[in-house]
Amino acid sequence: MLKAGTLLKKPLIQVNTGTIIGHVADLLLDPEQDRIVALITTTGGWLREAEIIPWEELVAIGDVLLIRPDVRPVSVAKRDDYKALMDRKLHVSGT
């Protein structure tokens, strides 16, 4: 079993180009489905929205995380379902 904390700070690499498109800053969890729904690459902040990569775009997990071809992080504001989860500010400790 993989602990969620081991995913943090890992590079996100597009499988077709080998380009690093970011690093995992945090995980977006859906407590009703008991699963990770997205990788947060930028947590956002002053004048900036958080950016995410949906979990379904992940191809492989190892020393790096491989992402499907041509996938780029998207603003969480463009995904109402993810924005609602982000607004809940759910924190999980001991994972």
Side-chain angles (χ1 to χ4, degrees):
M1 178 186 299
L2 186 67
K3 290 190 174 195
T6 62
L7 298 176
L8 299 179
K9 299 183 182 177
K10 286 196 180 212
L12 297 159
I13 298 179
Q14 282 184 328
V15 72
N16 60 331
T17 63
T19 304
I20 296 174
I21 58 173
H23 291 80
V24 178
D26 209 345
L27 304 172
L28 184 59
L29 306 173
D30 184 345
E32 279 79 36
Q33 295 182 20
D34 291 329
R35 69 182 198 99
I36 300 170
V37 294
L39 304 168
I40 302 173
T41 62
T42 304
T43 55
W46 194 56
L47 299 177
R48 200 167 71 175
E49 287 284 336
E51 292 185 332
I52 58 162
I53 295 178
W55 184 257
E56 295 78 26
E57 303 297 345
L58 188 63
V59 174
I61 299 172
D63 291 336
V64 299
L65 303 179
L66 296 179
I67 305 299
R68 292 187 194 282
D70 304 318
V71 170
R72 303 291 302 166
V74 296
S75 172
V76 73
K78 294 181 180 180
R79 297 284 307 258
D80 289 336
D81 51 343
Y82 291 165
K83 184 160 178 32
L85 289 172
M86 292 274 297
D87 290 343
R88 291 179 72 177
K89 297 189 185 311
L90 174 69
H91 295 283
V92 179
S93 60
T95 56

